[in-house]
Amino acid sequence: RLHPGQPLGVLDGIPVAVKDNFNTAGIETTCASNMLKGYIPPYNATVVQKLLDQGAVLLGKTNLDEFAMGSGTTDGVFGPVRNPWSYSRQYKEKNPSKSHSENEDSKWVITGGSSGGSAAAVSSFTCFAALGSDTGGSTRNPAAHCGVVGLKPTYGLISRHGLIPLVNSMDVPGILTRHVDDAAIVLGLLAGHDPKDSTTIQDTFKPFELPHSIDIRKLCIGIPKEYHVPGLSSEVQALWSKAADLFKDAGAKVIEVSLPHTPYSIVCYHVLCTAEVASNMARFDGLEYGHRADMKQSTESMYAATRREGFNDVVRGRILSGNYFLLKENYENYFVKAQKVRRLIANDFVKVFGSGVDILLTPTTLSDAAPYMEFIKEDNRTRSAQDDILTQAANMAGLPAVSVPAALSKRGLPLGLQFIGRSFQEKQLLTVAKWFENQAKFPVIHLEDMKRHDCSDFQHQKSVSSL
């Protein structure tokens, strides 16, 4: 098709990967869970179909935390995902083996989660773009740890049809690429109304191209003081300050702003998240599809055995928590109050953007990627509460946010910064992100088994748009 000049679209022949919680017709979709082992959907998710209509080549489905519940991509039935930067020359040089007996294989670091498989696929040059899902930071978190761009669009801009739901009111298909321009291209192909998803926008979405020359002197960048949270590493704080100075030196107005209800957001998020999880997971009962336990005493015992065998401890724990919050005697004290706090959090953003601020600049993660052996010392709930603290507020407010790789840590691992924009102002958000990307000049990963002369094929300027 390319030879006679008749491509199906701008992604014709471009390799892509899809997180394994998007339905793919004729291809197993498991959510990295025994509950859906062997499940083959009869239809494609809308976003998957749009990629295929453009001629994109689906290389495969990517690993995740079971049902996207996690922040490390360590809790799925396929095992943990290893961060490609664990095998980079940059990381190896900064972390040499202390002795010949030391097992280098034990030093690998996590990708972040829950879209860690998609982030690793893009980071390791396996594909140009990948789909993730973002409920509380699940696209931006692994993007920051893997040194790629992770875009969470405005809620309702991209169809959720065919995305196996976690939290319906927060889930957004996410886009992972190596460059901001590529994220804009993929967004332009995926965004728009879908009659199969009533939450998508009714207006026609017009794809945009990011400008080559960017003047940010008329912009106002807000620095939320509440994002100086406990546990934020000194490296990330320094990088955050340096980025703010970068904008100020270029002529942008940089001011400190307040989002006063941010300290309550992580607790609010987990109440709402687990409540919706409990509701969504009820459909996996062993009757219609997926795993069914060999229990014939009664229907109730079959339900119980199916869910005990099909779900891991993390999923079962969230179901239990959610059902507790939704009990009649607890409903007003937990779920209703959390909904009210969510409105206050969303109003904080409205007030800040209404005061003249164009973009908010924050860290994406508290630090660089943790070694796997350290990460698993804490339970999933504790880790998620820590790792989502800087990202989940944007989901509760439905705002667009993007993580852009900014620098390497002292250990030679990626650090990312997050930009949060106004609703449906993705063009402005990505324009600012592109400007920062050009200033940051994040280095190309040098994988240890990649020949030096091959690295020229993956220079930072290389993108889908140049093909």
Side-chain angles (χ1 to χ4, degrees):
R1 292 194 297 266
L2 289 172
H3 186 67
Q6 297 175 332
L8 290 178
V10 296
L11 293 187
D12 209 359
I14 299 298
V16 298
V18 172
K19 187 177 180 178
D20 199 24
N21 59 347
F22 288 91
N23 282 334
T24 44
I27 301 173
E28 188 177 13
T29 299
T30 68
C31 288
S33 173
N34 283 322
M35 182 61 81
L36 286 178
K37 183 179 180 180
Y39 172 63
I40 299 178
Y43 67 96
N44 282 320
T46 296
V47 286
V48 173
Q49 189 60 54
K50 286 186 173 184
L51 290 177
L52 297 177
D53 290 344
Q54 289 287 321
V57 179
L58 178 59
L59 291 186
K61 308 295 288 292
T62 60
N63 201 357
L64 65 154
D65 287 298
E66 183 163 333
F67 281 100
M69 299 184 201
S71 60
T73 314
T74 58
D75 290 314
V77 295
F78 301 112
V81 177
R82 302 185 180 207
N83 194 323
W85 283 85
S86 306
Y87 307 98
S88 69
R89 191 164 71 231
Q90 292 98 321
Y91 180 67
K92 294 284 188 180
E93 289 176 351
K94 295 289 180 67
N95 300 271
S97 297
K98 296 178 181 178
S99 66
H100 293 293
S101 60
E102 184 179 6
N103 183 9
E104 289 196 14
D105 202 43
S106 66
K107 293 165 58 179
W108 61 273
V109 298
I110 62 162
T111 56
S114 63
S115 306
S118 290
V122 174
S123 177
S124 61
F125 307 114
T126 304
C127 57
F128 273 95
L131 293 182
S133 62
D134 197 310
T135 305
S138 290
T139 295
R140 289 160 287 156
N141 179 298
H145 284 329
C146 293
V148 298
V149 175
L151 171 64
K152 170 225 171 293
T154 305
Y155 184 85
L157 186 60
I158 296 182
S159 172
R160 293 183 295 110
H161 175 69
L163 168 60
I164 296 173
L166 177 65
V167 181
N168 300 62
S169 68
M170 300 183 206
D171 289 346
V172 180
I175 298 168
L176 290 143
T177 59
R178 285 197 293 279
H179 313 281
V180 175
D181 273 318
D182 290 349
I185 291 170
V186 177
L187 177 67
L189 301 175
L190 301 183
H193 177 67
D194 179 12
K196 297 176 181 177
D197 180 1
S198 61
T199 63
T200 51
I201 56 171
Q202 297 294 321
D203 299 335
T204 302
F205 178 81
K206 295 181 180 179
F208 53 82
E209 186 174 330
L210 299 180
H212 292 292
S213 58
I214 303 167
D215 184 4
I216 65 165
R217 288 176 293 181
K218 296 181 180 179
L219 289 178
C220 179
I221 308 296
I223 310 295
K225 63 181 182 181
E226 287 81 9
Y227 280 63
H228 286 277
V229 295
L232 189 66
S233 73
S234 58
E235 278 188 303
V236 174
Q237 288 193 49
L239 182 63
W240 188 16
S241 298
K242 183 178 178 181
D245 292 340
L246 207 60
F247 280 98
K248 185 182 295 185
D249 294 343
K253 183 180 180 182
V254 179
I255 62 173
E256 183 181 75
V257 298
S258 178
L259 299 167
H261 294 95
T262 294
Y264 311 111
S265 65
I266 193 67
V267 176
C268 173
Y269 168 76
H270 278 287
V271 171
L272 297 176
C273 175
T274 54
E276 292 197 44
V277 162
S279 175
N280 281 324
M281 294 296 110
R283 72 192 69 196
F284 301 105
D285 54 16
L287 290 180
E288 298 172 89
Y289 46 76
H291 174 69
R292 178 185 292 186
D294 187 20
M295 183 69 69
K296 301 177 181 178
Q297 283 87 338
S298 67
T299 304
E300 287 75 16
S301 63
M302 188 274 288
Y303 283 164
T306 294
R307 292 163 72 79
R308 183 177 63 252
E309 296 171 7
F311 294 138
N312 69 4
D313 291 342
V314 174
V315 177
R316 290 200 301 270
R318 293 202 188 189
I319 292 172
L320 287 170
S321 297
N323 281 319
Y324 175 81
F325 296 140
L326 294 173
L327 287 173
K328 183 178 180 180
E329 60 266 32
N330 296 332
Y331 186 79
E332 290 285 337
N333 288 331
Y334 290 98
F335 185 74
V336 173
K337 281 187 178 179
Q339 290 283 37
K340 292 178 180 178
V341 173
R342 180 179 184 175
R343 173 57 58 191
L344 294 174
I345 292 167
N347 286 341
D348 284 347
F349 285 104
V350 171
K351 291 176 183 176
V352 165
F353 286 127
S355 69
V357 173
D358 297 295
I359 299 290
L360 295 175
L361 171 63
T362 79
T364 309
T365 57
L366 296 173
S367 63
D368 59 8
Y372 173 69
M373 299 308 295
E374 284 186 24
F375 185 83
I376 61 174
K377 289 178 181 178
E378 292 183 297
D379 62 275
N380 180 287
R381 179 178 298 182
T382 302
R383 272 294 182 180
S384 295
Q386 294 170 344
D387 297 336
D388 292 342
I389 196 165
L390 301 170
T391 53
Q392 41 71 39
N395 292 81
M396 289 199 288
L399 298 174
V402 61
S403 179
V404 180
L408 293 183
S409 69
K410 295 176 182 177
R411 295 195 299 146
L413 294 172
L415 295 171
L417 292 177
Q418 176 181 225
F419 296 90
I420 304 174
R422 296 187 176 98
S423 293
F424 302 109
Q425 296 299 314
E426 271 76 3
K427 183 175 182 179
Q428 183 186 58
L429 174 69
L430 292 177
T431 297
V432 173
K434 179 180 177 179
W435 181 88
F436 177 75
E437 179 184 63
N438 291 337
Q439 307 304 310
K441 294 181 172 59
F442 185 76
V444 175
I445 184 174
H446 292 282
L447 295 173
E448 61 178 4
D449 58 350
M450 182 182 292
K451 295 179 181 178
R452 181 168 304 202
H453 64 267
D454 289 339
C455 291
S456 61
D457 296 333
F458 303 105
Q459 287 302 309
H460 195 71
Q461 293 78 14
K462 194 77 170 175
S463 69
V464 171
S465 57
S466 67
L467 296 180

